[in-house]
Amino acid sequence: MPSQSLPLARQRRALKLRWPRLSWRAWLVPLLLCAALELSVRIGWLAEHQMPAPSSVALTLWQLAQGELWKHVAASLARVAAGFFIGAAAAVLIGTWVGLSQRAEAYLEPTFQALRAIPSLAWVPLLLLWLGIDETPKIVLIALGAFFPVYLSLVAGVRNVDRKWVELGRLYHLSPFALVRRILLPAALPSLFTGLRGALSLSWMFLVAAELIAATRGLGYLLSDGRETSRPDIVIAAILVLAVLGKLSDSLLKALEQRALAWRDTFLGNGVSG
């Protein structure tokens, strides 16, 4: 039996390490929606100046790709990467501390809950006054958006660790650092990755708020430029690029999650046998 179970375990591990793939079902709804929009515009149900046909948006995307699109994509990617990593790193450090210490929770949790309720655009005037109009306020705003999902998920993950594992670690005389590194953080990894994926999505949302103000490059600037020039095709093209980048970055993080959590034997949603 052990010799037969080992190849099976390797097959399951290899399956979990695969890059997430899209089946034909994932394309069905977007294609049907594009076909319905194209038909509605062509027969006059929708005004072209308000909702351009998907073919017009595709042509605009092609024209932008021949010119300045990649400059905007590169600027937005750099801002999201910097803000996400800064916010997530701060959340991991503070979230671990709060999860381990009830005293730290008593001091910090009420303040963080109040700050979390502040809308993203409410930070913009203050950040502009404090940090000027260069890259710093944009990155700080994205970091604020990335901080709270990771912080909340990690605190919940640490607090939901089975107490018996902690007691077992103390029984083996693990130091506090070793207890965190070998028991608490590995057990909280599923919650942490859930928070990271939520933070990445919010980073893209906060990016638009950051780039709509005092920016000369980026997809948010492209959105604003399309609005000011009454070009809905540019606006929709920028939204589509944001959606694609958000999906690709989430797929990358999901692949990392599957690799880091390949040791789990979890339900994969493939039905329940009676």
Side-chain angles (χ1 to χ4, degrees):
M1 286 296 295
S3 61
Q4 295 178 356
S5 62
L6 184 57
L8 180 59
R10 288 177 178 172
Q11 291 176 7
R12 290 180 61 86
R13 182 178 178 85
L15 179 63
K16 291 181 180 180
L17 292 179
R18 287 181 182 174
W19 181 272
R21 294 181 178 178
L22 292 178
S23 67
W24 62 270
R25 297 177 181 85
W27 298 100
L28 184 60
V29 172
L31 290 176
L32 288 177
L33 182 60
C34 287
L37 286 174
E38 186 77 27
L39 181 62
S40 299
V41 172
R42 295 308 176 192
I43 63 179
W45 289 353
L46 294 175
E48 177 77 20
H49 67 278
Q50 292 180 336
M51 175 57 70
S55 58
S56 300
V57 175
L59 179 60
T60 300
L61 267 174
W62 174 256
Q63 293 171 347
L64 288 173
Q66 307 303 312
E68 59 183 7
L69 177 62
W70 305 113
K71 176 184 69 175
H72 297 301
V73 169
S76 294
L77 279 174
R79 289 165 183 155
V80 167
F84 172 74
F85 282 116
I86 292 172
V92 168
L93 293 176
I94 299 176
T96 303
W97 180 33
V98 172
L100 296 175
S101 171
Q102 291 183 344
R103 180 174 296 180
E105 181 183 19
Y107 281 116
L108 298 177
E109 184 68 13
T111 301
F112 283 161
Q113 291 296 338
L115 292 175
R116 188 169 66 94
I118 299 176
S120 60
L121 288 176
W123 290 104
V124 172
L126 193 59
L127 291 176
L128 290 176
L129 287 173
W130 284 351
L131 303 174
I133 60 173
D134 58 359
E135 292 297 306
T136 305
K138 301 175 181 61
I139 294 174
V140 170
L141 184 61
I142 296 169
L144 285 171
F147 176 86
F148 291 105
V150 179
Y151 166 79
L152 293 173
S153 298
L154 184 57
V155 171
V158 171
R159 291 296 174 86
N160 288 331
V161 175
D162 195 330
R163 186 184 299 176
K164 293 190 290 293
W165 292 108
V166 179
E167 293 175 353
L168 181 64
R170 289 172 178 167
L171 183 65
Y172 279 93
H173 304 289
L174 293 180
S175 66
F177 177 77
L179 191 68
V180 171
R181 183 176 63 85
R182 300 181 62 179
I183 293 179
L184 291 174
L185 284 184
L189 269 182
S191 297
L192 175 59
F193 273 103
T194 299
L196 287 172
R197 293 179 66 183
L200 187 58
S201 297
L202 277 180
S203 296
W204 286 107
M205 296 179 191
F206 275 57
L207 168 77
V208 175
E211 291 183 341
L212 283 176
I213 299 175
T216 57
R217 291 181 303 168
L219 295 171
Y221 168 77
L222 199 61
L223 282 169
S224 179
D225 184 61
R227 175 183 59 83
E228 292 176 358
T229 57
S230 299
R231 291 283 305 276
D233 54 332
I234 293 180
V235 174
I236 295 176
I239 291 174
L240 289 176
V241 174
L242 282 168
V244 171
L245 291 175
K247 171 58 182 173
L248 290 176
S249 58
D250 181 74
S251 297
L252 175 61
L253 194 54
K254 185 176 181 180
L256 293 175
E257 177 186 11
Q258 291 176 343
R259 184 177 184 86
L261 303 179
W263 49 269
R264 295 192 306 168
D265 187 14
T266 55
F267 176 62
L268 300 178
N270 53 355
V272 179
S273 59

